[in-house]
Amino acid sequence: MSNKREFDVVVWGASGFTGKLVAEYLLQYYHDKIKFAIAGRDQKKLQSVKDELAKELPRAKELSTLTASLDDDTSLVELAKKTTVLISTVGPYARYGTPVVRACVEAATNYVDITGEVQWSKKMAQLYHEKAAAKGIKIVSCCGFDSIPSDIGTFLVVDYLKKNYQLNCAHATAVFTALKGVASGGTIASMFEMIETTTWEEKKAMRDSYFYQESSTLSSRRDSLSAEEQRQFDEWRVANKYSDTIKPVWVPEVGRYTSPFVMALVNTKVVYRSESLLPELYGTHFQYQEFQGHRSFLLAIFTTFALAVFSFLVMIAPFRALLKKVLPKPGEGPTKEQRDSGFFTLNVVGESVKGPDGKQVQAIAVLKGKKDPGYGLTSRMVSESALCFVLNRDKLSPLSGFLTPASAFGHTLVDRLNSSPSELTLSVSTLT
């Protein structure tokens, strides 16, 4: 892929709620470091975005705008050819995302998005992983709050144990110990889209921890094992296939009781895809679980029950119809004050396999964000992911195809998030 393209970054869907936040972030902090454009289907809406941004950032008047149609593959490919990396913020992705991924693969353009629709991501991986790999590009889904904290946090503890103790990570437990945020209409629409377009068979399949793993690398990994190791590997995967638990448990390392975390269904699948794409790092017997943490056992019980009731009701069409009337519509989202007051803290505790001395080592990664996770921080996470291709290209791994944040960016993204104005901090250390 040529480095000499007209733009470094193109933001597709800039007239949407999150797309506008991405454009604002890039304009505010990187206008003198990169050349980027905003793009969408409607020139008038893009001009309105420029006008609105220019009220606070006059340089927005100089922004280039690009248009294309989802019904015209040629126009999308021509748009994708203009940039090194395309940021897609247009959801629901099951409805609007496929033509954009297809165009980026055709144009040999790197791609990042903020979807949490893991069933769509799996379909895209099945269609385009090998094609993207053949062209040496990275197509990276789930680069927002779903699922960078979970995926990168787990990568940090797995990598730390490997590098510092030469031990594989046997088990990683992620606990959100603090969380405040507001859902936007786009996120709610994506949730409904996933429920309404996913068959019961697909819903059942998504309970499988390994739903989103890359089968080609798994086959290669298994083939490299001895017959006895293959038997153990197969037994482990059967036992770990449904690793989620709804029973509240006490996690002493973080001082919290647990309840299911609403996005664990997505984040768990992304972490396990990273495991399949980085087999040497994660080893053959790795387990991951994710929870929301509570100081009170009773609150953990109540949250578990409330989530179970909601999960049942949201599958009923009349209940969803009622929710659609009262919840935010696409294009609506939290105010600036709400975004600025949001936050999250995620602790990922990793425990190694037994070492030669028979002992296990624990490490903990702590990730903290100071803005609304779903929008204030998501817009920054996906922007910094895209900037890895532009400002840190020489530090990225040679791995290509349909990737995850951990397998695509690893420490390059960690360093960017820690040193940028992203309002995120990430650290890892031995747990004593």
Side-chain angles (χ1 to χ4, degrees), residues 108-166:
T109 296
N110 297 299
Y111 165 100
V112 293
D113 69 33
I114 56 171
T115 188
E117 300 166 48
V118 72
Q119 86 290 354
W120 173 80
S121 296
K122 178 179 180 176
K123 290 177 182 177
M124 294 300 97
Q126 290 172 329
L127 289 171
Y128 297 114
H129 176 68
E130 292 184 2
K131 293 178 181 179
K135 294 195 175 187
I137 61 170
K138 293 174 169 62
I139 306 295
V140 194
S141 264
C142 305
C143 292
F145 187 58
D146 309 320
S147 301
I148 279 181
S150 305
D151 193 36
I152 292 294
T154 304
F155 166 82
L156 281 173
V157 295
V158 171
D159 181 72
Y160 183 86
L161 291 169
K162 189 80 167 182
K163 286 183 176 177
N164 289 277
Y165 297 95
Q166 294 74 53

Side-chain angles (χ1 to χ4, degrees), residues 316-376:
I316 302 173
F319 184 72
R320 289 198 304 274
L322 176 63
L323 289 179
K324 289 177 182 179
K325 292 180 180 179
V326 300
L327 293 177
K329 306 294 188 295
E332 300 175 356
T335 65
K336 185 178 186 305
E337 291 73 21
Q338 289 174 320
R339 296 196 303 273
D340 288 345
S341 66
F343 55 82
F344 84 92
T345 299
L346 172 64
N347 295 267
V348 184
V349 179
E351 186 173 69
S352 75
V353 298
K354 290 182 179 179
D357 59 359
K359 296 181 179 179
Q360 293 176 290
V361 180
Q362 285 187 316
I364 184 168
V366 181
L367 297 85
K368 295 183 178 182
K370 294 181 181 179
K371 290 186 179 292
D372 169 78
Y375 301 93

Side-chain angles (χ1 to χ4, degrees), residues 310-322:
F310 179 80
S311 299
F312 171 76
L313 291 176
V314 80
M315 294 296 173
I316 302 173
F319 184 72
R320 289 198 304 274
L322 176 63

